[in-house]
Structures are given as structure tokens and as C-alpha cells.
Amino acid sequence: MHSSRPYIARALYQWLLDNDLTPHVVVDAEKEGVEVPRDAVQNGQIVLNLGVSAIRDLSMENDAIAFSARFDGKPTQLMVPMEALIAIYARENGVGMVFGHEPEMPEEEESEAPQAEQDETGPALASVDDTADTDGDSHTDEGQAPKKARPSLRVVK
């Protein structure tokens, strides 16, 4: 199963732009594959402005965010792996999302086998005869409508 982080990050980024807000991201600069100006890193993190006027050539793929920006007047290519993305928020009001630690997802081949076993040994549904009388009175007088049994569910193991 794929990580939900890149999908949520792209959606929040677009939502912030649609609301005329300036998207900022907080990045864990200590993670492997992060390419950011090291002199701008504080406490192992860096905040990057992803506003339309601040960056060029933005690419938000499932594995990383890549773009170019200027630091101290010098054009710089930045790369942020999705695992290093800590948060995305609006500069103006702080609205956004902090990403927590994602658990490791099992491979699809491994997850299908236990599911098949569970389906075979799990509980099963069976239909209940709706004409059965629960009161034990199975006879009816002529001219009277038969008594309806109260609907119920029965667990079949």
C-alpha cells in the first residue's frame, strides 16, 4: 500500500493556493536524500516557502518534492523526500497539517494471503427462515391473520 503523505501534501498545497494563502513546509533536514542549504537549517529542520512567487519548477511526486528557489540571491535546486516532510501550513494563519510517523505498510503479496485465510475461517452469514414462529404458536384461527414473528439475527459459527 502506498503512503498517503504525498497525496495529502499535494491536496493541502492546492487548497492553500486556492484560498490565496502562502504554503510553507517544515522539513527534517537530517533525513537521507534531503538537499537544502545547510546554513538555513536550525535544530535539524528547515522551513521552506512554497509560494508561487518564491519557487520555480515545482514537482510534487510520490517520492519527493523538487523545486528551485533563491537563497542569498543564488538559484538553488532543492529536493525533499516525502519521508522528510514534517508539516505543510499557511504562513498567514498557520492552518495546515503536521504529518506523524507512518507505520511500515506490508507488501501487497503478503497482505493478500492472510486475508484469504481469514475469509475461509471467519464468521459466515446465513439466511433466517422468516416464516418461523418464535412464540411456539404455529396454528392460526380462521379469519385471523397469522402472527408475525419479531425480526431477529442469529450468529452462525
Side-chain angles (χ1 to χ4, degrees):
M1 180 179 258
H2 296 287
S3 170
S4 61
R5 186 176 300 201
Y7 302 96
I8 294 170
R10 282 192 294 266
L12 283 171
Y13 177 79
Q14 190 60 52
W15 179 73
L16 291 170
L17 291 179
D18 288 350
N19 285 288
D20 297 323
L21 299 171
T22 309
H24 279 62
V25 292
V26 180
V27 177
D28 181 353
E30 304 298 319
K31 291 272 187 179
E32 186 177 333
V34 175
E35 297 174 16
V36 295
R38 293 293 165 187
D39 56 337
V41 174
Q42 294 178 342
N43 298 324
Q45 297 180 351
I46 185 169
V47 177
L48 300 171
N49 179 354
L50 294 187
V52 178
S53 62
I55 62 171
R56 302 185 83 147
D57 305 322
L58 175 67
S59 171
M60 292 183 85
E61 300 298 326
N62 287 349
D63 56 343
I65 301 171
F67 59 96
S68 56
R70 291 187 165 271
F71 284 87
D72 294 327
K74 300 175 197 164
T76 309
Q77 183 65 30
L78 291 94
M79 175 73 72
V80 178
M82 279 298 171
E83 297 82 30
L85 182 64
I86 296 173
I88 182 168
Y89 67 95
R91 179 185 65 198
E92 292 82 359
N93 58 14
V95 172
M97 182 175 184
V98 175
F99 296 99
H101 174 72
E102 282 191 335
E104 292 294 321
M105 299 294 179
E107 295 297 322
E108 290 184 29
E109 296 169 352
E110 293 174 10
S111 64
E112 288 177 13
Q115 184 65 27
E117 289 175 14
Q118 183 180 1
D119 289 344
E120 292 173 6
T121 60
L125 296 176
S127 64
V128 178
D129 185 13
D130 63 345
T131 59
D133 196 344
T134 59
D135 295 338
D137 284 340
S138 58
H139 69 279
T140 59
D141 295 335
E142 283 186 36
Q144 288 184 347
K147 290 183 180 179
K148 296 259 180 176
R150 184 173 166 183
S152 64
L153 295 175
R154 184 175 74 204
V155 177
V156 177
K157 289 188 177 184

